[in-house]
């Protein structure tokens, strides 16, 4: 059975563990993100997690993260000021070069939407909208079972909508 290191990077907590190829959670842990320390510090935490778990799960690393993600590069291309110096954080390149295992990176709300469509309340529905309110504000939309990403990987990024001289996220997130 293949086992994957799974890491979810939010503005408040990094939740991580080991997940089987059958989506069974085998190990579950959590640590503070300390987002104010910025992208390089978060990347260091990810490296530490992979280092600690690589002997137990070497099929690959799955990272869901706040911010807009270039899924081809596995890199953050836009982020709210909640995480300083996050833009340019190259998770995929760093993990693959250092540990020689595959790594995939996706926006956290897109991951949540896909999980709900696969095993949650969205199961069996052809379309689904996911909105999250937490440290930030996020959105994702699945149409005919496929995640709508847009040509710039930013479809449904509702938290970054400009409103009243600010952004929806800055006006409504729980971090404000």
């Amino acid at each position: 059975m293949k086992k994957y290191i799974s890491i979810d990077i939010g503005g408040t907590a990094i939740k991580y563990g080991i997940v089987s190829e059958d989506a069974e959670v085998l190990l579950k842990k959590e640590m503070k993100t300390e987002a104010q320390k910025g992208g390089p510090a978060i990347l260091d935490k990810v490296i530490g997690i992979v280092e600690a778990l690589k002997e137990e799960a070497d099929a690959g690393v799955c990272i869901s993260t706040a911010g807009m993600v270039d899924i081809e590069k596995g890199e953050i291309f836009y982020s709210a000021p909640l995480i300083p110096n996050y833009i340019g954080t190259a998770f995929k390149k760093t993990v693959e070069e250092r540990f020689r295992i595959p790594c995939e990176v996706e926006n956290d709300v897109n991951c949540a939407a896909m999980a709900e469509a696969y095993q949650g309340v969205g199961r069996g529905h052809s379309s689904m909208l996911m909105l999250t309110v937490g440290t930030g504000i996020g959105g994702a939309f699945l149409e005919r079972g496929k995640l709508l990403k847009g040509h710039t990987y930013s479809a449904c990024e509702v938290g970054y909508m400009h409103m009243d001289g600010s952004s929806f996220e800055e006006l409504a997130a729980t971090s404000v």
Side-chain angles (χ1 to χ4, degrees), residues 131 133 137 158-163 166-173:
L131 294 174
V133 179
I137 304 282
V158 296
Y160 301 123
M161 289 188 311
H162 295 282
M163 302 171 72
S166 188
S167 71
F168 182 33
E169 182 166 79
E170 290 171 347
L171 295 169

Side-chain angles (χ1 to χ4, degrees), residues 11-102:
T12 305
I14 297 175
K15 297 171 184 165
Y16 63 98
I18 297 174
V19 178
S20 76
E21 63 187 318
D22 298 324
E24 181 183 352
V25 177
L26 305 172
L27 175 72
K28 189 171 159 183
K29 294 187 173 196
E30 184 174 325
M31 68 173 63
K32 290 183 180 182
T33 305
E34 300 176 302
Q36 73 282 2
K37 292 183 178 179
I42 292 170
L43 182 57
D44 286 343
K45 287 182 180 222
V46 167
I47 290 167
I49 291 166
V50 177
E51 185 69 47
L53 300 179
K54 69 181 180 181
E55 300 302 320
E56 297 176 59
D58 62 357
V61 178
C62 311
I63 299 174
S64 72
T65 181
M68 292 184 183
V69 178
D70 178 325
I71 59 168
E72 300 299 321
K73 292 181 180 178
E75 179 177 308
I76 307 299
F77 72 87
Y78 184 80
S79 177
L82 299 169
I83 306 176
N85 303 312
Y86 207 40
I87 296 170
T89 303
F91 291 107
K92 181 178 179 75
K93 180 180 179 190
T94 303
V95 168
E96 289 183 346
E97 287 179 0
R98 182 169 179 145
F99 299 102
R100 304 284 181 225
I101 57 176

Side-chain angles (χ1 to χ4, degrees), residues 63-64 71 105-120 122-123 128 130 140-142 145-149:
I63 299 174
S64 72
I71 59 168
V105 185
E106 178 60 89
N107 171 270
D108 56 353
V109 180
N110 289 347
C111 288
M114 289 186 289
E116 286 296 333
Y118 177 66
Q119 289 190 322
R123 189 178 200 169
M128 188 187 89
M130 165 74 74
F141 187 75
L142 280 86
K146 298 204 183 235
L147 187 62
L148 182 65
K149 293 175 177 273

